[in-house]
Amino acid sequence: MPGPFRLTSDPDDIAIAADLLRAGKLVAFPTETVYGLGARADDDAAVRRIYEAKGRPATNPSIVHVASLEAASRVAHLDAMARDLASAFWPGPLTLVAKRITGAVCDATTSGGETVAIRVPAHRVARALLEAVGLPIAAPSANRSTHVSPTTAEHVAGSLGDRVDAILDGGAAVHGIESTIVRAIEGEPLAVLRLGAVPLAAIAAFASPRLVLDASSRIDSADVAAPAPGGQARHYAPRGRLVVVSRVELAGAVRAARASGGRVGVIAVSARSGLATDELVLGGEAAAYTASLYAALHELEGRGCDAIVVERVPDGDVWSAVRDRLRRASVPERA
Ligand code: TXA
Ligand code: MG
């Protein structure tokens, strides 16, 4: 079992990764949010291989990654508001959805839609790779569809194995949660389609006085047409069951999970509960907690936990992306 080809973030290895991408291969690479599974966005066969590798429905479009605002302008029609947002947050963890420029990327990348999601990542290795390739790169998160996104190269290898041609290792992702997705189309109100690494308040403050619609609350619900097609209910989920409860409910929830059999893990906020051997404490500081949440889910899953009991995180905007992901991760499998 050879497994995927492992590359370091040395310039020579980045050059190899760029050659592989140009040749239509799948390369997982680090970004500041989570690892992406990349393929050239103008190559239908290459992008279709991403969907096969992830087990992702072809109807769920991928984010296009480019090295600069100028490169983004060759893929999407960015209006004044989109350009202002791009200047404020790029390079960085903001994805803009805008009208696509015909012919710039293939139909598999956008799932045949009229719009395209695009971002300029800030990660040094991602930027070097994109500059070396010189082509727009389609890259969803580098995990099997609906599972927890990878924040390390090991997570990618564990989730996708040799379904990916190479993995570029750039260390642990700093944000540890996906980009914030904002739909910015001329003549339409600005809409947040997915909460993420850029806090909602930063977008709202910036976009004022133009209205920001928080569409992310709608994409939680399975019975409403999802503005972000990937916003289906169960997502970001470990293999076992996951429940979110308040601190005082922890003991009862752990007991209930044990009663239905198997190994139970606990993720606490500020202090150990002592209720399980497999307990991880992520801390009460939002950025640090967020950066370690997916790694904690991977860790407990790797230890064989059949159920994970998560202590509810505090209220407030800085926690909203974490609350969103925990809510989706706790949706039962057969929903
Ligand atoms: O941080 C991130 O955004 C990571 C890194 C690798 O860049 N990527 C990522 O990709 O999270 P993915 O595919 O796991 O999530 C992208 C989301 C999906 O929910 C998809 O439906 C939505 O973006 N999306 C893509 N194109 C879209 C479009 N044209 N309109 C609306 N939503 C779109
Ligand atoms: Mg994903």
Side-chain angles (χ1 to χ4, degrees):
M1 287 212 308
F5 184 31
R6 298 290 288 258
L7 296 166
T8 71
S9 49
D10 291 347
D12 288 354
D13 276 13
I14 293 175
I16 293 171
D19 286 345
L20 288 169
L21 284 170
R22 266 195 299 269
K25 302 288 186 195
L26 301 190
V27 177
F29 63 94
T31 83
E32 70 278 22
T33 58
V34 299
Y35 275 68
L37 179 58
R40 53 188 292 171
D42 61 349
D43 181 338
D44 225 77
V47 176
R48 274 194 266 115
R49 285 191 57 222
I50 295 183
Y51 287 77
E52 267 165 47
K54 283 181 59 79
R56 174 177 174 115
T59 49
N60 188 2
S62 295
I63 297 176
V64 173
H65 297 66
V66 290
S68 64
L69 173 56
E70 195 204 341
S73 310
R74 292 195 287 268
V75 173
H77 294 285
L78 300 174
D79 70 7
M81 178 56 81
R83 278 171 189 283
D84 286 352
L85 284 166
S87 321
F89 296 103
W90 284 353
L94 175 74
T95 294
L96 291 171
V97 170
K99 288 265 163 63
R100 107 192 232 202
I101 290 176
T102 317
V105 297
C106 66
D107 282 348
T109 295
T110 61
S111 301
E114 303 273 279
T115 59
V116 62
I118 193 153
R119 88 175 186 98
V120 177
H123 195 290
R124 180 187 67 79
V125 176
R127 287 173 65 77
L129 178 66
L130 292 167
E131 269 159 25
V133 184
L135 291 166
I137 296 298
S141 52
N143 52 279
R144 293 281 291 167
S145 189
T146 76
H147 285 175
V148 181
S149 296
T151 58
T152 65
E154 287 67 39
H155 296 159
V156 178
S159 186
L160 295 173
D162 46 23
R163 292 185 179 96
V164 28
D165 297 309
I167 303 177
L168 195 54
D169 192 340
V174 277
H175 290 294
I177 200 161
E178 297 80 358
S179 60
T180 301
I181 305 182
V182 175
R183 185 177 152 107
I185 290 178
E186 189 118 56
E188 289 181 18
L190 214 57
V192 175
L193 304 186
R194 179 177 71 183
L195 297 169
V198 176
L200 197 55
I203 309 276
F206 187 83
S208 180
R210 217 172 131 180
L211 186 67
V212 174
L213 288 183
D214 181 4
S216 57
S217 55
R218 293 176 48 210
I219 59 179
D220 281 336
S221 137
D223 54 5
V224 172
Q232 68 267 55
R234 183 178 163 87
H235 217 115
Y236 314 102
R239 273 186 293 272
R241 287 161 288 140
L242 184 144
V243 291
V244 181
V245 297
S246 67
R247 182 86 188 172
V248 293
E249 293 164 330
L250 273 180
V254 169
R255 213 177 310 117
R258 283 219 178 93
S260 34
R263 188 163 173 167
V264 180
V266 171
I267 296 180
V269 178
S270 300
R272 288 190 73 78
S273 69
L275 292 164
T277 322
D278 296 304
E279 174 167 32
L280 302 173
V281 181
L282 305 189
E285 199 275 306
Y289 182 109
T290 307
S292 52
L293 176 63
Y294 288 168
L297 294 174
H298 281 286
E299 168 71 23
L300 293 178
E301 185 175 273
R303 291 192 202 174
C305 292
D306 306 283
I308 301 175
V309 178
V310 182
E311 179 184 353
R312 183 166 297 133
V313 297
D315 293 335
D317 181 44
V318 290
W319 292 95
S320 59
V322 163
R323 275 197 305 274
D324 169 76
R325 299 305 191 272
L326 287 173
R327 204 159 48 226
R328 290 160 198 257
S330 63
V331 171
E333 190 123 32
R334 286 172 295 104

